[in-house]
Structure formats: structure tokens, C-alpha cells
């Protein structure tokens, strides 16, 4: 008998609704550079990773990591404000600032901490945050910690955003609009140009989360804002090192005064041990590779379009777009779980995404592609996905 019957009951309730979660143990097939993995002894085509450019196994990054660790040691050993601010930090933050064309950059442990820390440091109970309804959970949690008033506008509905600003902006000392640029579960994009216009019209600040856009968009991979040529009009550019860069960590880029303010007030920065110097140096090297190797973005977009088009032509409910995130919308939780299980039996790892990660009745398979997937693997995966849809009666 469980010592915690209420928790056991809650878990059982989630299981019945198709919302159970479990940790999966995986091993990477080194020669495949992450495109194939092994789970439970089975080799699977990996269509669930955010390693968009295929850099996580790049030997240049592994070599940089090892050489730096030999010099600086394995860990950060303390907060950056004590003795954890190695010279590697200054060098890599300068590299990112030049890449993003901003005055200053601050590295964080991960994207969750970057959003949580930045929002809660800059806003307070006299402030207001206007957030897209489909923004990442880290933005929501940062808003809660800030104690600011929280106004959620309907997804990409800028008339609704303007209505909320018009109604509430005079009540607050500081108003912040915040949005993902590429939304993690749908792969669609915010209209950054329209948001900049609204920002100016209402005297608000604008923060964007480029987690799924950095490395993927723009001539040098600097992100969607750079591709549109509007990056200087955005107050805060946040991005991660754990997706297209193939590593771990995150960064916030802004004017020097804003970065200085975060150093004084951002609790996740002040009270966290610094990143390992080897990781920090590898991040700088990865940014250099991303800027130089345009072929990775070209291949990523070509293969994503190939896969998306094949599923759409078969009649599957896959939204249009040009990101490497390809959602197959199914709606029902149990259908999504069964679909994922059958794909795994066929040799494909494509995870079912369910509430609360996505809204109710919008469960899906979230495919995410890599530049280093082969054309043969992509074609085979599309065929298996279509066959599975037919077996389950999703299409006829």
C-alpha cells in the first residue's frame, strides 16, 4: 500500500486520461551523429531531437570541450559573482554579441533559467506582461515570480494584444510584450514586425525567445529577427545553446545597461554555479560553425519541407510552415500515444505530445528534423508515418 494515496490516485487519474509520463533511457549511435539512437535495445530513427543542425556530436566541439577541460577543470566551481567567471565567459559572450549585433550578452544555465530570471528581474508588481497564449512555460513561470500583472493574448492575435494594452497599459509603470519567435510545439512564427509596431505605438518593451529560431533562420543563423532585419528594434533577444548549437545553456542579448542590471538583480544568475568552462568555450566554437556553414540551414529547410509536404499530400493534418518542427495533429491523447508506440515498433522515435504541454484536445506527434538526416531516412519515415495513419484510421 502506498504511503501517499492521494499522489497515487492523482497518477492513476492521469494515466486514465492518457497523460502519464515516463523517463526514457537512450544511447546514441556515435557514427550516426544523433540521427539514430538506441532505446530498450532497439535502434530508432531519432525524430524527436532539437539538435537541428546536427552539431551535438561534431568532433570539433568535442575536441574544444576536452582541451578546455584539461586547462580549466571539469566544473564551474562557484557562482560567476564569486570565482566562477572564467575568462572563457568573456570570450564567448563577445562572440555571441557580435553574432547577434547587440552591445552585450549574458550566458545562463539553460533557457528556462534565462526566461525565468530575466522576466522576474526586470518586472515587478507595478508592471505588466503581455504574453502570447502559446509561449513557453518558462515565460509563464517567470511572469508568476515577477508578481507582474499577466495578460495573455490569443495566439498571434495582435488585435487582441492591442485591446489589452489599450485597456491596461496606463495602470502599470512598465509594460513588456513577450513572445516566442518560433513556437516550439506548432513550429509557426510570430509576426515580429507587427509586434515592433505595437511596441512603439504603446510605449512597451519587447522581448523575444529565439530558442527554436537561432541557428535556423538568418544569413548567419542569428535568428528570425535578423532574417527580417528588425533585431535592433527588439529590446531583449533570448536564445538557447541546447538546440541548433547542439550543446547546453542559454543567453540574453541586449543593451549594456540592461545586462548590467541583470548582473545585479537576476537571482538564477547570482545564486547558481557557473557553467563548466569547457561548455562555455564549446558554445563559442559552435556559434562560429553555425555562422560559417550555411549548408546546414539549407539542408535542414529542404528536408523539413520534403517531410512536411509528403505528410500533407497524404491527407494528414500537418500545418504549413518552414521550420524543422513538423506537428501531426491528432487531438485525442490515447490516439497520439498509440501512434507513437506503433512508430517505435517500426523503428522511429517520435514522441506523443499531450496536455499540459499543448492545449486540451490538441495532442500530436511532434516531429523535429535535423540537417544531418539522410534523404533516404526522411522518405522512409514519411512512408511509415503515412502507413501508421492508415492502420489507425487517421486517414483512409
Amino acid at each position: 500500500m502506498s504511503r501517499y494515496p492521494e499522489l497515487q490516485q492523482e497518477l492513476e487519474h492521469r494515466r486514465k486520461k492518457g497523460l502519464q509520463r515516463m523517463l526514457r533511457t537512450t544511447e546514441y549511435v556515435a557514427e550516426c551523429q544523433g540521427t539514430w539512437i538506441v532505446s530498450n535495445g532497439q535502434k530508432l530513427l531519432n525524430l524527436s531531437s532539437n539538435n537541428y543542425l546536427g552539431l551535438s556530436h561534431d568532433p570539433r566541439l568535442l575536441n574544444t570541450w576536452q582541451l578546455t577541460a584539461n586547462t580549466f577543470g571539469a566544473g564551474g566551481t562557484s557562482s560567476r559573482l564569486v570565482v566562477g567567471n572564467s575568462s572563457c565567459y568573456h570570450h564567448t559572450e563577445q562572440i555571441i554579441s557580435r553574432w547577434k549585433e547587440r552591445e552585450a550578452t549574458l550566458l545562463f544555465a539553460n533557457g528556462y533559467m534565462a526566461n525565468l530570471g530575466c522576466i522576474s528581474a526586470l518586472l515587478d508588481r507595478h508592471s505588466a506582461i503581455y504574453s502570447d497564449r502559446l509561449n513557453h512555460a518558462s515565460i509563464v513561470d517567470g511572469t508568476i515570480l515577477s508578481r507582474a500583472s499577466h495578460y495573455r493574448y490569443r495566439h498571434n492575435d495582435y488585435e487582441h494584444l492591442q485591446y489589452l494594452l489599450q485597456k491596461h497599459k496606463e495602470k502599470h509603470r512598465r509594460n513588456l510584450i513577450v513572445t516566442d519567435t518560433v513556437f516550439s510545439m506548432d513550429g509557426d512564427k510570430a509576426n515580429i514586425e507587427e509586434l515592433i509596431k505595437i511596441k512603439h505605438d504603446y510605449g512597451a518593451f519587447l522581448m523575444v525567445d529565439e530558442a527554436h529560431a537561432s541557428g535556423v533562420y538568418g544569413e548567419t543563423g542569428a535568428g528570425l529577427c535578423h532574417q527580417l532585419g528588425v533585431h535592433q528594434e527588439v529590446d531583449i533577444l533570448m536564445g538557447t545553446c541546447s538546440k541548433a548549437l547542439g550543446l547546453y545553456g542559454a543567453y540574453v542579448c541586449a543593451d549594456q545597461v540592461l545586462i548590467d542590471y541583470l548582473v545585479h538583480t537576476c537571482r538564477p544568475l547570482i545564486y547558481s554555479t557557473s557553467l563548466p568552462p569547457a561548455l562555455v568555450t564549446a558554445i563559442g566554437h559552435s556559434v562560429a560553425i553555425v555562422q560559417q556553414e550555411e549548408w546546414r540551414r539549407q539542408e535542414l529547410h529542404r528536408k523539413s519541407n520534403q517531410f512536411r509536404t509528403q505528410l500533407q499530400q497524404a491527407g494528414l493534418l500537418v500545418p504549413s510552415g518552414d521550420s524543422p518542427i513538423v506537428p501531426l495533429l491528432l487531438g485525442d491523447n490515447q490516439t497520439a500515444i498509440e501512434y507513437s508506440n506503433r512508430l517505435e515498433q517500426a523503428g522511429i522515435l517520435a514522441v506523443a505530445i499531450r496536455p499540459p504541454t499543448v492545449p486540451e484536445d490538441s495532442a500530436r506527434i511532434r516531429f523535429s528534423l535535423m540537417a544531418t538526416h539522410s534523404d533516404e531516412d526522411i522518405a522512409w519515415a514519411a512512408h511509415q508515418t503515412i502507413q501508421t495513419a492508415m492502420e489507425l484510421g487517421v486517414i483512409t
Side-chain angles (χ1 to χ4, degrees):
M1 184 175 178
S2 173
R3 293 174 58 187
Y4 309 102
E6 290 184 7
L7 299 183
Q8 193 66 47
Q9 185 178 10
E10 174 67 19
L11 288 171
E12 181 62 19
H13 177 69
R14 288 171 181 255
R15 186 192 66 78
K16 288 179 179 178
K17 291 182 67 177
L19 296 175
Q20 69 272 31
R21 297 170 184 256
M22 55 188 293
L23 297 173
R24 174 191 294 273
T25 300
T26 58
E27 299 175 11
Y28 283 86
V29 182
E31 66 272 16
C32 298
Q33 296 196 338
T35 57
W36 288 81
I37 63 174
V38 174
S39 179
N40 297 324
Q42 183 183 6
K43 187 177 178 182
L44 301 169
L45 179 64
N46 182 8
L47 291 180
S48 291
S49 170
N50 294 326
N51 182 27
Y52 299 129
L53 299 182
L55 286 172
S56 69
H57 288 74
D58 192 286
R60 294 167 292 182
L61 299 184
L62 299 176
N63 186 56
T64 293
W65 189 301
Q66 182 174 350
L67 290 174
T68 309
N70 290 341
T71 301
F72 286 88
T77 74
S78 82
S79 165
R80 290 185 69 180
L81 291 173
V82 184
V83 294
N85 191 46
S86 70
S87 57
C88 305
Y89 264 105
H90 178 68
H91 179 66
T92 293
E93 286 173 342
Q94 282 191 323
I95 290 172
I96 296 173
S97 293
R98 288 194 293 270
W99 182 40
K100 294 287 184 171
E101 300 179 275
R102 299 310 294 265
E103 287 183 0
T105 295
L106 198 60
L107 281 166
F108 284 82
N110 52 53
Y112 192 95
M113 288 294 102
N115 279 333
L116 191 81
C118 188
I119 292 172
S120 61
L122 294 173
L123 285 301
D124 58 23
R125 61 190 178 89
H126 303 293
S127 307
I129 297 171
Y130 301 82
S131 177
D132 190 290
R133 189 168 289 276
L134 294 188
N135 276 342
H136 192 267
S138 57
I139 294 173
V140 176
D141 291 354
T143 300
I144 293 170
L145 280 180
S146 74
R147 298 179 297 163
S149 297
H150 189 193
Y151 305 111
R152 300 173 73 193
Y153 60 90
R154 291 185 291 268
H155 179 50
N156 281 347
D157 185 339
Y158 303 120
E159 288 187 5
H160 188 216
L161 169 60
Q162 290 178 83
Y163 165 77
L164 292 172
L165 280 161
Q166 187 67 43
K167 183 176 180 180
H168 299 292
K169 73 179 182 67
E170 298 301 333
K171 303 176 185 176
H172 307 287
R173 179 170 59 88
R174 186 174 296 158
N175 294 281
L176 175 72
I177 302 167
V178 60
T179 184
D180 291 359
T181 56
V182 175
F183 291 88
S184 60
M185 292 298 119
D186 291 275
D188 59 337
K189 296 181 287 191
N191 187 336
I192 305 301
E193 292 164 311
E194 181 65 19
L195 285 170
I196 288 170
K197 180 179 181 299
I198 294 171
K199 164 203 150 166
H200 288 304
D201 287 347
Y202 290 89
F205 295 97
L206 176 61
M207 175 179 177
V208 301
D209 181 334
E210 292 258 59
H212 295 273
S214 292
V216 176
Y217 294 95
E219 185 178 348
T220 63
L224 183 62
C225 293
H226 283 72
Q227 179 168 294
L228 297 171
V230 297
H231 52 284
Q232 297 292 355
E233 296 293 318
V234 176
D235 297 286
I236 305 165
L237 291 164
M238 175 272 179
T240 60
C241 312
S242 54
K243 298 173 179 64
L245 296 187
L247 292 161
Y248 184 72
Y251 52 84
V252 170
C253 302
D255 291 353
Q256 184 69 58
V257 64
L258 192 147
I259 297 300
D260 289 343
Y261 185 81
L262 290 177
V263 170
H264 285 80
T265 61
C266 183
R267 294 171 71 86
L269 174 79
I270 296 168
Y271 298 108
S272 293
T273 298
S274 62
L275 292 169
L279 170 58
V280 174
T281 303
I283 290 169
H285 195 170
S286 183
V287 170
I289 293 171
V290 165
Q291 292 179 81
Q292 295 161 5
E293 298 187 353
E294 172 64 20
W295 67 265
R296 292 181 183 272
R297 277 179 291 285
Q298 294 172 351
E299 284 296 285
L300 179 65
H301 289 297
R302 182 179 68 81
K303 289 166 183 173
S304 300
N305 182 62
Q306 172 189 336
F307 185 69
R308 179 182 285 104
T309 299
Q310 285 183 264
L311 299 191
Q312 289 175 331
Q313 289 178 344
L316 288 167
L317 186 54
V318 174
S320 297
D322 65 356
S323 87
I325 300 166
V326 182
L328 167 54
L329 303 179
L330 297 166
D332 178 68
N333 296 337
Q334 298 294 353
T335 300
I337 292 171
E338 180 62 20
Y339 207 122
S340 177
N341 289 339
R342 293 202 184 193
L343 286 176
E344 185 168 343
Q345 292 167 13
I348 297 170
L349 181 58
V351 175
I353 306 295
R354 295 152 290 155
T357 306
V358 293
E360 291 288 340
D361 302 317
S362 68
R364 75 219 30 214
I365 304 295
R366 178 190 182 272
F367 298 100
S368 51
L369 280 73
M370 297 165 56
T372 46
H373 279 126
S374 71
D375 286 337
E376 293 76 17
D377 285 345
I378 295 299
W380 173 73
H383 174 75
Q384 292 295 336
T385 301
I386 294 165
Q387 284 294 112
T388 301
M390 295 175 69
E391 292 168 7
L392 291 174
V394 174
I395 56 174
T396 56

